[in-house]
Amino acid sequence: MDAMPTATEILAANNDAVTAATRCLDRIAAREEAVRAWAYLDPAAALKTAVALDAGPRGALHGVPIGVKDVILTRDMPTRYNSPIHDEPATSADAGCVAVLRAAGALMLGKTETVEFAATGTKAPTRNPHALDHTPGGSSSGSAAAVADGHVPIALATQTGGSIIRPASYCGIWGIKPTWGLVSNEGAKSFAPSLDTIGWYARSADDLSLILDRFDPEPARSATLAGARIGIARTPYWAEAGPATRDAIARTEQALRNAGAVIEEVALPDDEWSDIARVHDLVMHAEGGAAFLAADVTGGDGLHANMRAMVSARTASNRQRLVEAYDKAAAWRRAFDALAGGYDAILTPSTVAEAPRGLAATGDYLFNGMWTLLHVPCVNVPGCIAANGLPVGVTITGPRFADRRVLAMAAAIGALLSG
């Protein structure tokens, strides 16, 4: 089968929604049995919606098929969260992000597989398209695999730990975790509200920008690498990086130097930042205990034991630790904004290594959680390959709400790596 078009290519060709949807559905029919990216798909309903789109005015995203992670509400499709306690009919409202994209003419094609509640528990059945016996990562497993395998050009995802950037790296695609709060979480399952972030996957930086246009009032921009000041943040956890990740950072650093960028090591004071992963996890699990309380008291025996444990851990003795964690996070955010503001971009690892074999675990988010806690924008840039042939990405980040600058620099770096 020939290469599936990107969203940018679909719009440039002035394709109708039915043509775009049909091409995606044909690809899914050929590959879904192997990849298992979809939690819900109704081809007839999708084509009916495409016909209606073509009969109306053309929006900025006319007919672009989009996959929706199955923790994000859709008015015309069920949302089941990969949980035995949810078998809901179609909802009566869209999540905020879905409503915004529909208003621009996008076609919500179906719901993609997720780890239970985008948290913990039951894993998605999804496989990595690059090696079917390897995980695609999680929790946004189906969204990443669907984009990587050409089922859709765009898919919505969420991140509370590393659930956007890690699968993007494992699946060799572009992924963006915007600044926390840039995209409303209305209508998406809450896990840790001070961390939860909605983002998306694509097969090009231009496609990431197309969707960002709907949410960020700042105009798109371009970037030049010659003379750009790039900081490398190896983080306090660099010792855990595997050979593929070390090689990806080294290759990117050398390519940037060859392009005329000025490279500097970003020193995060270890005595202050060494426990940032622990602080992230403390906040995530404490807020998760509140988020899953209702499911715990109403879901019978259906709620997974891991989430029940979060609820059980909601004790008074943990509250002071949580206050201290919030205070540390606030101080770290100010400090990183000031530090990163002196650079055009910060380069950092996306994952500990390439995708591990097996589907029982979705990989380590050690190199993601700190950036989620800091609320900063992150873009996974594909283009590097591990010794076993699997993809591994690098992350470009920067200060809060510098999403446009971060994406522009990531696009320039991506072009460099693919050249």
Side-chain angles (χ1 to χ4, degrees):
M1 182 176 291
D2 59 347
M4 298 297 288
T6 65
T8 301
E9 290 166 345
I10 290 171
L11 294 172
N14 204 31
N15 282 345
D16 57 71
V18 171
T19 297
T22 299
R23 191 165 186 180
C24 287
L25 291 169
D26 287 348
R27 176 66 172 172
I28 293 169
R31 291 286 295 167
E32 173 60 5
E33 184 177 352
V35 177
R36 301 185 67 184
W38 296 91
Y40 177 86
L41 187 71
D42 185 337
L47 288 172
K48 183 178 179 181
T49 302
V51 169
L53 281 171
D54 286 338
R58 297 180 70 94
L61 297 175
H62 179 77
V64 171
I66 294 179
V68 182
K69 185 176 180 178
D70 196 28
V71 295
I72 299 173
L73 295 180
T74 43
R75 67 173 186 250
D76 50 359
M77 292 177 273
T79 305
R80 297 192 176 101
Y81 310 96
N82 192 19
S83 170
I85 65 175
H86 280 278
D87 190 12
E88 300 180 355
T91 58
S92 59
D94 283 330
C97 59
V98 172
V100 167
L101 297 177
R102 281 200 209 264
L107 170 66
M108 303 301 120
L109 195 72
K111 305 300 281 289
T112 57
E113 294 280 11
T114 177
V115 173
E116 189 172 352
F117 287 117
T120 183
T122 305
K123 303 299 186 291
T126 311
R127 300 160 180 166
N128 191 315
H130 294 273
L132 296 178
D133 58 344
H134 288 246
T135 180
S139 62
S140 305
S141 313
S143 287
V147 170
D149 204 45
H151 301 190
V152 280
I154 304 286
L156 294 175
T158 66
Q159 178 160 312
T160 306
S163 294
I164 294 173
I165 297 302
R166 186 172 74 258
S169 178
Y170 286 174
C171 291
I173 56 174
W174 292 84
I176 183 170
K177 183 206 79 68
T179 298
W180 179 83
L182 183 66
V183 180
S184 171
N185 286 323
E186 175 193 5
K189 178 67 184 91
S190 176
F191 177 4
S194 76
L195 304 174
D196 296 341
T197 311
I198 291 174
W200 49 95
Y201 296 119
R203 293 194 302 280
S204 75
D206 286 343
D207 278 13
L208 292 186
S209 187
L210 274 177
I211 305 303
L212 188 59
D213 287 345
R214 300 300 98 201
F215 299 103
D216 192 341
E218 295 294 324
R221 60 171 71 181
S222 59
T224 300
L225 294 177
R229 190 168 177 233
I230 310 294
I232 299 181
R234 300 184 195 274
T235 84
Y237 310 109
W238 181 246
E240 304 299 321
T245 290
R246 290 174 179 270
D247 288 348
I249 293 294
R251 182 192 166 197
T252 306
E253 177 183 358
Q254 188 57 57
L256 286 166
R257 290 186 187 278
N258 293 344
V262 178
I263 308 297
E264 298 178 11
E265 292 286 337
V266 174
L268 304 177
D270 288 344
D271 56 336
E272 297 177 21
W273 292 73
S274 60
D275 68 339
I276 192 167
R278 180 195 63 81
V279 170
H280 165 269
D281 285 359
L282 192 159
V283 170
M284 181 171 69
H285 290 109
E287 293 187 357
F292 297 119
L293 175 62
D296 185 43
V297 299
T298 63
D301 295 328
L303 187 66
H304 195 279
N306 290 354
M307 283 166 273
R308 288 189 181 279
M310 289 188 215
V311 175
S312 298
R314 294 171 65 250
T315 62
S317 63
N318 286 331
R319 292 177 183 173
Q320 183 56 40
R321 293 172 61 223
L322 184 58
V323 169
E324 292 169 358
Y326 284 144
D327 288 347
K328 280 189 173 183
W332 283 331
R333 287 167 193 151
R334 291 192 299 270
F336 184 75
D337 280 354
L339 185 156
Y343 295 92
D344 293 293
I346 301 294
L347 168 67
T348 195
S350 284
T351 51
V352 171
E354 69 273 30
R357 187 185 300 273
L359 305 180
T362 58
D364 195 330
Y365 60 84
L366 181 65
F367 284 119
N368 313 127
M370 64 178 288
W371 307 116
T372 309
L373 182 74
L374 294 179
H375 291 171
V376 295
C378 295
V379 174
N380 179 72
V381 180
C384 297
I385 303 295
N388 61 3
L390 291 178
V392 61
V394 297
T395 287
I396 304 303
T397 187
R400 288 174 290 181
F401 294 107
D403 299 64
R404 291 293 195 180
R405 181 193 349 149
V406 167
L407 181 51
M409 292 300 299
I413 293 168
L416 196 64
L417 294 177
S418 64

